[in-house]
Amino acid sequence: MKARLFLLAVVLFAGFISCKPSDEKLQKEAAAVLSTVSSAISSEVKNGQLILSGEVESDALKAGAEEVVKAIKGIKAVVNNIKVKLPEPIINPDDTLKGIISTAITAGGDAFKDVIVEVEDGVVNLTGKIKKADLQKVMQIVNEAKPKKVNNQLTITK
């Protein structure tokens, strides 16, 4: 009788093990579900644990991917290694232009210390004071930066 109970227990245990979905089956199911969220997300299943990886545009997509795979029957745990792309920094061309010109003018030393540079919509506005002998050099520096236009409002000193 004990042998029969033992044999029955082994058969039942083997049945429970065989009912558990395989990692391969879980992997296929996860891939199918994730394809509806983003093609940039990949997954790997090991011992019922699903590992997500890839790069998406938002935190919402990252969280959404995790939620849809958690609903898959047989997934024991989810490790979300998905990275969220940072937005590209907005580069203001006016700031870039002003930086180039200001750096070149500052490198000119005391001769250009009273020159003030402002840039708006690609147009350079020069104000302040400059000696007549240094005016051509300042204008050359500004024009080398290729602005749309230069408004020279510098006061010429002797």
Side-chain angles (χ1 to χ4, degrees), residues 30 33-37 52 63-72 75 78:
V33 170
L34 288 169
S35 69
T36 65
V37 176
L52 297 172
E66 184 172 341
E67 288 305 311
V68 296
V69 295
K70 279 183 176 179
I72 298 172
I75 296 292
V78 177

Side-chain angles (χ1 to χ4, degrees), residues 43-99:
S43 62
E44 181 181 357
V45 179
K46 291 182 180 176
N47 299 322
Q49 181 180 28
L50 186 110
I51 302 165
L52 297 172
S53 58
E55 190 173 52
V56 295
E57 290 76 26
S58 70
D59 288 320
L61 278 174
K62 178 180 178 175
E66 184 172 341
E67 288 305 311
V68 296
V69 295
K70 279 183 176 179
I72 298 172
K73 188 174 182 176
I75 296 292
K76 294 178 184 174
V78 177
V79 176
N80 193 342
N81 291 335
I82 298 172
K83 296 192 182 342
V84 177
K85 291 179 189 176
L86 295 176
E88 294 292 324
I90 298 171
I91 299 172
N92 185 338
D94 287 347
D95 292 342
T96 303
L97 184 59
K98 181 178 180 178

Side-chain angles (χ1 to χ4, degrees), residues 101 122-126 139 142-143 147-153:
I101 294 170
V123 176
V124 176
N125 297 304
L126 299 174
M139 294 307 292
V142 172
N143 285 316
K148 289 180 183 177
K149 182 180 175 183
V150 178
N151 291 328
N152 179 1
Q153 299 170 348

